[in-house]
Amino acid sequence: MKKLQHIFLAGLVAFGMMACEKDNYDGPTAGLSGRFIDAETKQLVEQDIIRGTTIELLEHGYANPSPQYLIVKNDGSYANTMLFANTYTVRPVRGNFVSVEAQEVVIKGQTTLDFTVTPYIRFTDVTIKKEGNKILASFKLKQSVINNVKKIGLYAHSDFRVGEPMRLVAAERELNAVSNPNEVYTLEINLTDNSNTLKAGRKYFFRIGALIDVGEAKLNYAPAVGIDL
Amino acid sequence: MIRKYSKLLYFVALIGMMGCAKSLDLSPIDKIRPEDLFGDPEGTKLYMANLYYQLPIEDFTYFRQGFRQNAQDPNNGGFAPAMVTDEAMHTEFGDFVGDGDFHFWEPGYKLVRDVNILSDVIPTLNINAEERKGLIGEAAFIKAFTYFGLVKRYGGVSLIKAAQAYNSDPNALKVPRSTEKETWDYVLALCDTAAANLGVAPGRRANKYTALALKSRAALHAASIAKFGGLAPMSGEAVSQKLVGLEAGDAAGYYAQCIDASKQIMESNAYGLYKPTPANPTEAAENYRQMFADPNVANIEAILIKGYTLPGNSLGHNYDIWYQPAQVANGWPHPGRMNPTLDLVDIYESYTAPGQNAPVITTTDGNITDYNGYAPSKNYIRFNTPNEIFKNKDARLWATMVLPSTQWKNTNIIIQAGYVKPNGEAVIRTKDEIEINGVKYYTYGAPSTSMYSGFDTYGGNNTRTGFSFKKFMNDAKPIVPGWNQSTTDFIEFRYAEVLLNYAEAVAEGGAGDVAVATKALNDIRKRAGHTVDITLTPANVQRERRVELAFENKRYWDLIRRREYHTVFNNRRMHTLLPLQDLRALPETKYIFVRVDVPNANPRTFEPKAYYRYIPGIGSNGLVQNPQY
């Protein structure tokens, strides 16, 4: 009887210890970071933090894997430092530039991958300034594809990551036409009319954007400008 | 030793006998065989009741958690589907369409299986030809309704047309998704089968016209996706395999199917509008209200009613406790959750200006886009009562909402946001009182929380938009302060929707009879007290639809199928109308109104990927996921 008890006890301990065993898999040690660079101007391509360009990652070695998506920062750089080392198919999707091909990337350690892209719309001669009770923006558009420009907009937010999806106030104009490279486009936000949202004495960020008429395209932007009201 | 052998012998003999006798091939006694169940009319009725109960009818128990939210603990805060559209806000929540909301995957396929079991045994049943025809029609209707509920959420889905048998290989049960077009065509074909086999007797079960009404709705949905899909382009594997999306070229065909199905109902003279010629707008408002307070008075208009008979868990619903104004709560702690928006109020036509929106004008300059709040410098128009500003607006506004200082259940429902003191200083959405010449005035129009229904944040029970809710509300009896106590019936298909479907298909598709469609549109308006006809345009049809079908959980799908959601909800704020008593006018009693953003609410944006719900469980069912999930 004693023997039986011993056996039972030994079994129980063994069973209990099964739960304690350390899993021998490493955590994610690799990462992927980089930038979106304008092929022509060599500047970073400005993005949206919400609903902006995303990078689709498909990890190799699995049947029918669910894609992972990386979000791109406002300034056009991105980073994910917690990926598992492996081979991935990497493709930026739903961006504000002429779409680029997917590529296979071996991600091992902190890997850097820059994309050289052609943004749909570039801005030149940008000025955003406060004049009286108005914020005035003027700029020229230079588009790199033949599609129409759907709309242009001036967006305001208290956060520097301002954009079309992240704004307190917007002044937008529908163009629905091919833009004229020589025309100076202007947009304005009347501060009096928006006194409830854009409060005097505080700092707000203003950014101009333009949307090309391409399916799922995101807006292109010029860098945001901070103005004390 | 011998004893031991004989025992073994017995055992061997027993094993041997198992091979010979069929004593284990018994029919199970804990299951009912289909021929027994369906051979008995009562058994069929019972099974049918279960199928109808599972239909994806978006009624009073449909919330973002899914269908039939009336079980033991149905507390979901009263967050109705209307609150993710521009129809209403919740008193407290500011939520929007979440990835996990409004799903129908598992309950959908459960119903598919249940109805497949029925349709598979129909040919074997010992019933007469007429009964068989009826069952074939009804099974097809239920299947069509189920797949309609699936396709409008998920796009193309796995079409399981007969009950599957499990033969120890789960992979054999996996059915890949069909294209969205194949799925819509299957739904419409099932509607045709149903219409061809069903009789015309009215009742609580599907008849020929119910099937045609479903077809009218489904075909219009498919046509709209085909026509407007380009407004929200998508990419990904599901798109390239055509599992989501329809070709623009398909639109005309689907519009034609909608026109045909609607026309059959319209030409049958089996249905009509309830009380189509009211004497005046007041009568029109009361007629319209009654139709929803008790659909059974309007059998001429109601093509299919979902009934609620008994209060209790899984039996009654909770619309009355959640949505009646705070003053009539009768001890229930959480009333007043439905706050119709000013955005919806603006849409209702004025009898003085037919055929256009009649936004609520509060200032002499007529500016309706200024939401910056009260300023003493602005010239507000003064009104004699808190609801005079809505004078001449469509009767259905008065029947759908409880407007400030109107009567509901013999109670003057007070909705007031504040007052302007004689010195021009305003006190808004703050509990306060002031005594002038011996008379006390209260910001919320009355001294205590039980005496008003607006703007106090107390308990989340007061409207924050300036409007409370009336449509579907039971005015006959006091609120029973408990769960699942309401038994108001719900009209799933009504004649007015069929008319609107027809009008829209003609206005958008170009085919069909413009004169008939124009008459359909204006018949509905006439029933609402209008006397001047308007022309058939897509905008007029949409306005009429929003107004006539408000809160019937149609708006969400209108925004989805017409691909308007991401445009209508792009950083969108809803709006409130603040009624203020203007004490500068004393001794006269005067009110002014201020258009503002809904207080304590954030702007909301619709993600285009939400035009389709995600497919649950792709890890095990191996289906292609919808874009961007």
PDB file of all heavy atoms in Angstrom, chain B residues 398-426:
ATOM      1  N   TRP B 398     -42.589  64.428 -35.994  1.00  0.00           N
ATOM      2  CA  TRP B 398     -43.325  64.470 -34.727  1.00  0.00           C
ATOM      3  C   TRP B 398     -43.691  63.075 -34.241  1.00  0.00           C
ATOM      4  O   TRP B 398     -43.894  62.864 -33.048  1.00  0.00           O
ATOM      5  CB  TRP B 398     -44.596  65.317 -34.891  1.00  0.00           C
ATOM      6  CG  TRP B 398     -44.294  66.729 -35.312  1.00  0.00           C
ATOM      7  CD1 TRP B 398     -43.931  67.152 -36.560  1.00  0.00           C
ATOM      8  CD2 TRP B 398     -44.301  67.900 -34.486  1.00  0.00           C
ATOM      9  NE1 TRP B 398     -43.720  68.508 -36.563  1.00  0.00           N
ATOM     10  CE2 TRP B 398     -43.945  68.990 -35.302  1.00  0.00           C
ATOM     11  CE3 TRP B 398     -44.584  68.120 -33.132  1.00  0.00           C
ATOM     12  CZ2 TRP B 398     -43.855  70.300 -34.813  1.00  0.00           C
ATOM     13  CZ3 TRP B 398     -44.503  69.421 -32.653  1.00  0.00           C
ATOM     14  CH2 TRP B 398     -44.132  70.490 -33.484  1.00  0.00           C
ATOM     15  N   ALA B 399     -43.790  62.125 -35.198  1.00  0.00           N
ATOM     16  CA  ALA B 399     -44.185  60.759 -34.820  1.00  0.00           C
ATOM     17  C   ALA B 399     -42.987  59.882 -34.498  1.00  0.00           C
ATOM     18  O   ALA B 399     -43.121  58.860 -33.838  1.00  0.00           O
ATOM     19  CB  ALA B 399     -44.986  60.132 -35.958  1.00  0.00           C
ATOM     20  N   THR B 400     -41.816  60.282 -34.966  1.00  0.00           N
ATOM     21  CA  THR B 400     -40.619  59.472 -34.751  1.00  0.00           C
ATOM     22  C   THR B 400     -39.899  59.879 -33.474  1.00  0.00           C
ATOM     23  O   THR B 400     -39.312  59.061 -32.783  1.00  0.00           O
ATOM     24  CB  THR B 400     -39.661  59.627 -35.959  1.00  0.00           C
ATOM     25  OG1 THR B 400     -40.370  59.248 -37.143  1.00  0.00           O
ATOM     26  CG2 THR B 400     -38.435  58.757 -35.813  1.00  0.00           C
ATOM     27  N   MET B 401     -39.971  61.195 -33.168  1.00  0.00           N
ATOM     28  CA  MET B 401     -39.227  61.696 -32.013  1.00  0.00           C
ATOM     29  C   MET B 401     -40.162  62.383 -31.040  1.00  0.00           C
ATOM     30  O   MET B 401     -41.208  62.893 -31.426  1.00  0.00           O
ATOM     31  CB  MET B 401     -38.179  62.718 -32.468  1.00  0.00           C
ATOM     32  CG  MET B 401     -37.292  62.205 -33.545  1.00  0.00           C
ATOM     33  SD  MET B 401     -36.219  63.508 -34.122  1.00  0.00           S
ATOM     34  CE  MET B 401     -35.603  62.728 -35.618  1.00  0.00           C
ATOM     35  N   VAL B 402     -39.724  62.426 -29.797  1.00  0.00           N
ATOM     36  CA  VAL B 402     -40.386  63.280 -28.824  1.00  0.00           C
ATOM     37  C   VAL B 402     -39.658  64.619 -28.874  1.00  0.00           C
ATOM     38  O   VAL B 402     -38.482  64.713 -28.517  1.00  0.00           O
ATOM     39  CB  VAL B 402     -40.327  62.680 -27.411  1.00  0.00           C
ATOM     40  CG1 VAL B 402     -40.941  63.635 -26.409  1.00  0.00           C
ATOM     41  CG2 VAL B 402     -41.029  61.335 -27.370  1.00  0.00           C
ATOM     42  N   LEU B 403     -40.360  65.649 -29.372  1.00  0.00           N
ATOM     43  CA  LEU B 403     -39.763  66.978 -29.476  1.00  0.00           C
ATOM     44  C   LEU B 403     -39.948  67.720 -28.153  1.00  0.00           C
ATOM     45  O   LEU B 403     -40.817  67.369 -27.349  1.00  0.00           O
ATOM     46  CB  LEU B 403     -40.419  67.743 -30.622  1.00  0.00           C
ATOM     47  CG  LEU B 403     -40.289  67.078 -32.014  1.00  0.00           C
ATOM     48  CD1 LEU B 403     -41.086  67.849 -33.050  1.00  0.00           C
ATOM     49  CD2 LEU B 403     -38.842  66.962 -32.426  1.00  0.00           C
ATOM     50  N   PRO B 404     -39.143  68.747 -27.903  1.00  0.00           N
ATOM     51  CA  PRO B 404     -39.238  69.465 -26.624  1.00  0.00           C
ATOM     52  C   PRO B 404     -40.653  69.987 -26.361  1.00  0.00           C
ATOM     53  O   PRO B 404     -41.308  70.506 -27.266  1.00  0.00           O
ATOM     54  CB  PRO B 404     -38.257  70.634 -26.799  1.00  0.00           C
ATOM     55  CG  PRO B 404     -37.307  70.186 -27.847  1.00  0.00           C
ATOM     56  CD  PRO B 404     -38.066  69.286 -28.763  1.00  0.00           C
ATOM     57  N   SER B 405     -41.084  69.815 -25.128  1.00  0.00           N
ATOM     58  CA  SER B 405     -42.400  70.303 -24.690  1.00  0.00           C
ATOM     59  C   SER B 405     -43.542  69.785 -25.541  1.00  0.00           C
ATOM     60  O   SER B 405     -44.485  70.495 -25.840  1.00  0.00           O
ATOM     61  CB  SER B 405     -42.428  71.835 -24.656  1.00  0.00           C
ATOM     62  OG  SER B 405     -41.635  72.274 -23.588  1.00  0.00           O
ATOM     63  N   THR B 406     -43.465  68.518 -25.961  1.00  0.00           N
ATOM     64  CA  THR B 406     -44.634  67.871 -26.552  1.00  0.00           C
ATOM     65  C   THR B 406     -45.136  66.836 -25.556  1.00  0.00           C
ATOM     66  O   THR B 406     -44.436  66.460 -24.618  1.00  0.00           O
ATOM     67  CB  THR B 406     -44.295  67.183 -27.891  1.00  0.00           C
ATOM     68  OG1 THR B 406     -43.202  66.296 -27.697  1.00  0.00           O
ATOM     69  CG2 THR B 406     -43.925  68.215 -28.945  1.00  0.00           C
ATOM     70  N   GLN B 407     -46.380  66.405 -25.786  1.00  0.00           N
ATOM     71  CA  GLN B 407     -47.012  65.474 -24.857  1.00  0.00           C
ATOM     72  C   GLN B 407     -46.634  64.035 -25.202  1.00  0.00           C
ATOM     73  O   GLN B 407     -46.668  63.634 -26.357  1.00  0.00           O
ATOM     74  CB  GLN B 407     -48.543  65.604 -24.942  1.00  0.00           C
ATOM     75  CG  GLN B 407     -49.076  66.952 -24.495  1.00  0.00           C
ATOM     76  CD  GLN B 407     -48.968  67.120 -22.984  1.00  0.00           C
ATOM     77  OE1 GLN B 407     -49.364  66.247 -22.220  1.00  0.00           O
ATOM     78  NE2 GLN B 407     -48.426  68.252 -22.552  1.00  0.00           N
ATOM     79  N   TRP B 408     -46.296  63.266 -24.201  1.00  0.00           N
ATOM     80  CA  TRP B 408     -46.072  61.827 -24.362  1.00  0.00           C
ATOM     81  C   TRP B 408     -46.582  61.151 -23.108  1.00  0.00           C
ATOM     82  O   TRP B 408     -46.166  61.505 -22.012  1.00  0.00           O
ATOM     83  CB  TRP B 408     -44.594  61.521 -24.600  1.00  0.00           C
ATOM     84  CG  TRP B 408     -44.288  60.050 -24.653  1.00  0.00           C
ATOM     85  CD1 TRP B 408     -43.545  59.335 -23.767  1.00  0.00           C
ATOM     86  CD2 TRP B 408     -44.726  59.122 -25.644  1.00  0.00           C
ATOM     87  NE1 TRP B 408     -43.488  58.025 -24.130  1.00  0.00           N
ATOM     88  CE2 TRP B 408     -44.214  57.860 -25.289  1.00  0.00           C
ATOM     89  CE3 TRP B 408     -45.533  59.219 -26.795  1.00  0.00           C
ATOM     90  CZ2 TRP B 408     -44.469  56.702 -26.032  1.00  0.00           C
ATOM     91  CZ3 TRP B 408     -45.766  58.067 -27.541  1.00  0.00           C
ATOM     92  CH2 TRP B 408     -45.240  56.833 -27.163  1.00  0.00           C
ATOM     93  N   LYS B 409     -47.496  60.234 -23.277  1.00  0.00           N
ATOM     94  CA  LYS B 409     -48.127  59.558 -22.134  1.00  0.00           C
ATOM     95  C   LYS B 409     -48.685  60.570 -21.137  1.00  0.00           C
ATOM     96  O   LYS B 409     -48.422  60.480 -19.921  1.00  0.00           O
ATOM     97  CB  LYS B 409     -47.122  58.647 -21.435  1.00  0.00           C
ATOM     98  CG  LYS B 409     -46.798  57.388 -22.210  1.00  0.00           C
ATOM     99  CD  LYS B 409     -45.918  56.485 -21.367  1.00  0.00           C
ATOM    100  CE  LYS B 409     -45.825  55.111 -21.960  1.00  0.00           C
ATOM    101  NZ  LYS B 409     -44.947  54.225 -21.206  1.00  0.00           N
ATOM    102  N   ASN B 410     -49.394  61.569 -21.664  1.00  0.00           N
ATOM    103  CA  ASN B 410     -50.016  62.602 -20.834  1.00  0.00           C
ATOM    104  C   ASN B 410     -49.018  63.374 -19.984  1.00  0.00           C
ATOM    105  O   ASN B 410     -49.366  63.885 -18.920  1.00  0.00           O
ATOM    106  CB  ASN B 410     -51.099  61.998 -19.923  1.00  0.00           C
ATOM    107  CG  ASN B 410     -52.203  61.389 -20.746  1.00  0.00           C
ATOM    108  OD1 ASN B 410     -52.634  61.978 -21.749  1.00  0.00           O
ATOM    109  ND2 ASN B 410     -52.657  60.213 -20.353  1.00  0.00           N
ATOM    110  N   THR B 411     -47.782  63.394 -20.426  1.00  0.00           N
ATOM    111  CA  THR B 411     -46.765  64.143 -19.698  1.00  0.00           C
ATOM    112  C   THR B 411     -46.143  65.151 -20.650  1.00  0.00           C
ATOM    113  O   THR B 411     -45.872  64.810 -21.808  1.00  0.00           O
ATOM    114  CB  THR B 411     -45.663  63.180 -19.189  1.00  0.00           C
ATOM    115  OG1 THR B 411     -46.303  62.121 -18.480  1.00  0.00           O
ATOM    116  CG2 THR B 411     -44.683  63.895 -18.280  1.00  0.00           C
ATOM    117  N   ASN B 412     -45.939  66.358 -20.173  1.00  0.00           N
ATOM    118  CA  ASN B 412     -45.232  67.345 -20.968  1.00  0.00           C
ATOM    119  C   ASN B 412     -43.740  67.040 -20.847  1.00  0.00           C
ATOM    120  O   ASN B 412     -43.156  67.206 -19.778  1.00  0.00           O
ATOM    121  CB  ASN B 412     -45.563  68.751 -20.439  1.00  0.00           C
ATOM    122  CG  ASN B 412     -44.833  69.820 -21.216  1.00  0.00           C
ATOM    123  OD1 ASN B 412     -44.499  69.622 -22.378  1.00  0.00           O
ATOM    124  ND2 ASN B 412     -44.567  70.939 -20.556  1.00  0.00           N
ATOM    125  N   ILE B 413     -43.150  66.557 -21.942  1.00  0.00           N
ATOM    126  CA  ILE B 413     -41.739  66.160 -21.893  1.00  0.00           C
ATOM    127  C   ILE B 413     -40.884  67.422 -22.037  1.00  0.00           C
ATOM    128  O   ILE B 413     -40.858  68.064 -23.085  1.00  0.00           O
ATOM    129  CB  ILE B 413     -41.404  65.148 -22.996  1.00  0.00           C
ATOM    130  CG1 ILE B 413     -42.304  63.918 -22.891  1.00  0.00           C
ATOM    131  CG2 ILE B 413     -39.927  64.756 -22.923  1.00  0.00           C
ATOM    132  CD1 ILE B 413     -42.191  63.127 -21.595  1.00  0.00           C
ATOM    133  N   ILE B 414     -40.187  67.754 -20.966  1.00  0.00           N
ATOM    134  CA  ILE B 414     -39.392  68.976 -20.943  1.00  0.00           C
ATOM    135  C   ILE B 414     -37.962  68.669 -21.363  1.00  0.00           C
ATOM    136  O   ILE B 414     -37.279  67.843 -20.750  1.00  0.00           O
ATOM    137  CB  ILE B 414     -39.421  69.606 -19.531  1.00  0.00           C
ATOM    138  CG1 ILE B 414     -40.859  70.027 -19.195  1.00  0.00           C
ATOM    139  CG2 ILE B 414     -38.462  70.785 -19.445  1.00  0.00           C
ATOM    140  CD1 ILE B 414     -41.034  70.530 -17.795  1.00  0.00           C
ATOM    141  N   ILE B 415     -37.535  69.310 -22.447  1.00  0.00           N
ATOM    142  CA  ILE B 415     -36.159  69.173 -22.912  1.00  0.00           C
ATOM    143  C   ILE B 415     -35.608  70.587 -23.080  1.00  0.00           C
ATOM    144  O   ILE B 415     -35.940  71.274 -24.036  1.00  0.00           O
ATOM    145  CB  ILE B 415     -36.091  68.390 -24.239  1.00  0.00           C
ATOM    146  CG1 ILE B 415     -36.633  66.960 -24.053  1.00  0.00           C
ATOM    147  CG2 ILE B 415     -34.664  68.354 -24.763  1.00  0.00           C
ATOM    148  CD1 ILE B 415     -36.781  66.179 -25.334  1.00  0.00           C
ATOM    149  N   GLN B 416     -34.841  71.034 -22.108  1.00  0.00           N
ATOM    150  CA  GLN B 416     -34.288  72.386 -22.140  1.00  0.00           C
ATOM    151  C   GLN B 416     -32.835  72.327 -21.699  1.00  0.00           C
ATOM    152  O   GLN B 416     -32.489  71.614 -20.754  1.00  0.00           O
ATOM    153  CB  GLN B 416     -35.104  73.304 -21.215  1.00  0.00           C
ATOM    154  CG  GLN B 416     -34.698  74.770 -21.328  1.00  0.00           C
ATOM    155  CD  GLN B 416     -35.527  75.675 -20.402  1.00  0.00           C
ATOM    156  OE1 GLN B 416     -36.745  75.555 -20.339  1.00  0.00           O
ATOM    157  NE2 GLN B 416     -34.849  76.565 -19.691  1.00  0.00           N
ATOM    158  N   ALA B 417     -31.976  73.069 -22.409  1.00  0.00           N
ATOM    159  CA  ALA B 417     -30.541  72.966 -22.146  1.00  0.00           C
ATOM    160  C   ALA B 417     -30.030  74.064 -21.223  1.00  0.00           C
ATOM    161  O   ALA B 417     -28.925  73.968 -20.707  1.00  0.00           O
ATOM    162  CB  ALA B 417     -29.769  73.009 -23.453  1.00  0.00           C
ATOM    163  N   GLY B 418     -30.815  75.120 -21.028  1.00  0.00           N
ATOM    164  CA  GLY B 418     -30.332  76.199 -20.190  1.00  0.00           C
ATOM    165  C   GLY B 418     -31.148  77.452 -20.392  1.00  0.00           C
ATOM    166  O   GLY B 418     -32.261  77.397 -20.918  1.00  0.00           O
ATOM    167  N   TYR B 419     -30.607  78.564 -19.915  1.00  0.00           N
ATOM    168  CA  TYR B 419     -31.283  79.837 -20.149  1.00  0.00           C
ATOM    169  C   TYR B 419     -30.270  80.951 -20.370  1.00  0.00           C
ATOM    170  O   TYR B 419     -29.080  80.796 -20.088  1.00  0.00           O
ATOM    171  CB  TYR B 419     -32.244  80.189 -19.015  1.00  0.00           C
ATOM    172  CG  TYR B 419     -31.696  80.094 -17.598  1.00  0.00           C
ATOM    173  CD1 TYR B 419     -30.532  80.776 -17.211  1.00  0.00           C
ATOM    174  CD2 TYR B 419     -32.377  79.347 -16.629  1.00  0.00           C
ATOM    175  CE1 TYR B 419     -30.061  80.692 -15.913  1.00  0.00           C
ATOM    176  CE2 TYR B 419     -31.910  79.255 -15.329  1.00  0.00           C
ATOM    177  CZ  TYR B 419     -30.748  79.930 -14.981  1.00  0.00           C
ATOM    178  OH  TYR B 419     -30.278  79.846 -13.695  1.00  0.00           O
ATOM    179  N   VAL B 420     -30.776  82.042 -20.932  1.00  0.00           N
ATOM    180  CA  VAL B 420     -29.957  83.246 -21.067  1.00  0.00           C
ATOM    181  C   VAL B 420     -30.488  84.225 -20.039  1.00  0.00           C
ATOM    182  O   VAL B 420     -31.672  84.570 -20.042  1.00  0.00           O
ATOM    183  CB  VAL B 420     -30.076  83.844 -22.480  1.00  0.00           C
ATOM    184  CG1 VAL B 420     -29.182  85.074 -22.612  1.00  0.00           C
ATOM    185  CG2 VAL B 420     -29.715  82.807 -23.529  1.00  0.00           C
ATOM    186  N   LYS B 421     -29.601  84.626 -19.110  1.00  0.00           N
ATOM    187  CA  LYS B 421     -30.024  85.546 -18.062  1.00  0.00           C
ATOM    188  C   LYS B 421     -30.332  86.916 -18.666  1.00  0.00           C
ATOM    189  O   LYS B 421     -29.861  87.238 -19.774  1.00  0.00           O
ATOM    190  CB  LYS B 421     -28.912  85.686 -17.023  1.00  0.00           C
ATOM    191  CG  LYS B 421     -28.669  84.418 -16.219  1.00  0.00           C
ATOM    192  CD  LYS B 421     -27.553  84.681 -15.219  1.00  0.00           C
ATOM    193  CE  LYS B 421     -27.193  83.422 -14.462  1.00  0.00           C
ATOM    194  NZ  LYS B 421     -25.999  83.630 -13.630  1.00  0.00           N
ATOM    195  N   PRO B 422     -31.089  87.745 -17.940  1.00  0.00           N
ATOM    196  CA  PRO B 422     -31.427  89.076 -18.474  1.00  0.00           C
ATOM    197  C   PRO B 422     -30.189  89.882 -18.878  1.00  0.00           C
ATOM    198  O   PRO B 422     -30.251  90.722 -19.771  1.00  0.00           O
ATOM    199  CB  PRO B 422     -32.162  89.733 -17.311  1.00  0.00           C
ATOM    200  CG  PRO B 422     -32.769  88.592 -16.563  1.00  0.00           C
ATOM    201  CD  PRO B 422     -31.796  87.466 -16.682  1.00  0.00           C
ATOM    202  N   ASN B 423     -29.039  89.605 -18.266  1.00  0.00           N
ATOM    203  CA  ASN B 423     -27.835  90.350 -18.624  1.00  0.00           C
ATOM    204  C   ASN B 423     -27.127  89.777 -19.854  1.00  0.00           C
ATOM    205  O   ASN B 423     -26.039  90.219 -20.221  1.00  0.00           O
ATOM    206  CB  ASN B 423     -26.876  90.407 -17.439  1.00  0.00           C
ATOM    207  CG  ASN B 423     -26.357  89.018 -17.060  1.00  0.00           C
ATOM    208  OD1 ASN B 423     -26.622  88.036 -17.741  1.00  0.00           O
ATOM    209  ND2 ASN B 423     -25.625  88.947 -15.953  1.00  0.00           N
ATOM    210  N   GLY B 424     -27.722  88.745 -20.478  1.00  0.00           N
ATOM    211  CA  GLY B 424     -27.140  88.186 -21.696  1.00  0.00           C
ATOM    212  C   GLY B 424     -26.191  87.036 -21.455  1.00  0.00           C
ATOM    213  O   GLY B 424     -25.706  86.407 -22.388  1.00  0.00           O
ATOM    214  N   GLU B 425     -25.928  86.741 -20.187  1.00  0.00           N
ATOM    215  CA  GLU B 425     -25.028  85.636 -19.880  1.00  0.00           C
ATOM    216  C   GLU B 425     -25.828  84.328 -19.938  1.00  0.00           C
ATOM    217  O   GLU B 425     -26.911  84.236 -19.374  1.00  0.00           O
ATOM    218  CB  GLU B 425     -24.459  85.833 -18.469  1.00  0.00           C
ATOM    219  CG  GLU B 425     -23.474  84.787 -18.037  1.00  0.00           C
ATOM    220  CD  GLU B 425     -23.293  84.783 -16.507  1.00  0.00           C
ATOM    221  OE1 GLU B 425     -23.555  85.832 -15.867  1.00  0.00           O
ATOM    222  OE2 GLU B 425     -22.928  83.744 -15.977  1.00  0.00           O
ATOM    223  N   ALA B 426     -25.282  83.329 -20.643  1.00  0.00           N
ATOM    224  CA  ALA B 426     -26.012  82.068 -20.790  1.00  0.00           C
ATOM    225  C   ALA B 426     -25.484  81.025 -19.815  1.00  0.00           C
ATOM    226  O   ALA B 426     -24.287  80.954 -19.557  1.00  0.00           O
ATOM    227  CB  ALA B 426     -25.885  81.554 -22.211  1.00  0.00           C
TER     228      ALA B 426
END
